[in-house]
Amino acid sequence: MKNLILRIFNPKQMAAALKREDVTNIEFATYTFIVISLTVYSIYLSWWNVHTTELFFFLDLLLEILGNILLVVITYSINKKGDDKRFWYRFICLSIPVGILTGLFMIILSILLSIFVTVDSTFDLIDLCILFSGLMFATFYLVKYMRIISK
């Protein structure tokens, strides 16, 4: 149980467990449910997020969808160049701890930006910058640990 909690909050621990194939099918099913639920919820939030113009609404939705597709393609190609084993198993399991770190990063970034930037017409642009930064943060860590696992 202690290892399970450590893996959920530490991508390095999760990568090591995935390399050893210590993550059980029940854990994988749980992680899959969590990832699918959070993905649907984030698309729902993007859909109902308040934007000053329709342009920013579509940019937000497009950035989120294309960013996630690109993230899957990049990590798939890294896994393919490595040992080419169990991509979805690795991707979904790694998404949990990386997603937690990314969420914390985006919250901290939002707080810092709200301190230094007044909320007015730049709100949508700040929202897109936070989303883009979060996607880059997640991509960096998923690529880093997918390389480690697939060697």
Side-chain angles (χ1 to χ4, degrees), residues 102-121:
T102 303
L104 290 173
F105 169 76
M106 291 173 73
I107 289 169
I108 291 168
L109 187 60
S110 297
I111 291 169
L112 289 174
L113 286 173
S114 69
I115 291 171
F116 296 111
V117 178
T118 59
V119 178
D120 56 1
S121 61

Side-chain angles (χ1 to χ4, degrees), residues 133-151:
S133 299
L135 284 169
M136 291 298 98
F137 187 88
T139 301
F140 172 77
Y141 279 102
L142 280 170
V143 165
K144 175 183 175 181
Y145 290 112
M146 190 63 78
R147 281 191 177 130
I148 292 169
I149 296 168
S150 66
K151 282 185 181 179

Side-chain angles (χ1 to χ4, degrees), residues 19-144:
K19 183 89 171 155
R20 293 186 311 268
E21 296 193 11
D22 284 347
V23 179
T24 66
N25 288 335
I26 293 172
E27 283 179 77
F28 173 68
T30 304
Y31 298 152
T32 302
F33 176 76
I34 292 169
V35 167
I36 290 171
S37 299
L38 290 176
T39 301
V40 168
Y41 183 66
S42 71
I43 290 171
Y44 170 79
L45 285 179
S46 288
W47 190 261
W48 293 107
N49 199 357
V50 177
H51 294 284
T52 54
T53 65
E54 287 184 20
L55 172 68
F56 280 109
F57 164 75
F58 288 113
L59 286 174
D60 188 2
L61 197 59
L62 186 70
L63 181 62
E64 187 162 347
I65 291 170
L66 290 179
N68 283 311
I69 290 171
L70 187 62
L71 180 61
V72 170
V73 169
I74 290 169
T75 52
Y76 177 79
S77 67
I78 288 169
N79 190 62
K80 187 92 173 147
K81 288 177 185 174
D83 61 4
D84 197 21
K85 293 181 184 174
R86 302 180 80 178
F87 169 72
W88 287 110
Y89 167 81
R90 292 171 173 177
F91 182 81
I92 288 174
C93 290
L94 269 178
S95 293
I96 297 296
V98 170
I100 290 170
L101 284 179
T102 303
L104 290 173
F105 169 76
M106 291 173 73
I107 289 169
I108 291 168
L109 187 60
S110 297
I111 291 169
L112 289 174
L113 286 173
S114 69
I115 291 171
F116 296 111
V117 178
T118 59
V119 178
D120 56 1
S121 61
T122 60
F123 173 75
D124 285 329
L125 189 56
I126 292 170
D127 183 44
L128 286 176
C129 290
I130 292 170
L131 178 60
F132 181 75
S133 299
L135 284 169
M136 291 298 98
F137 187 88
T139 301
F140 172 77
Y141 279 102
L142 280 170
V143 165
K144 175 183 175 181

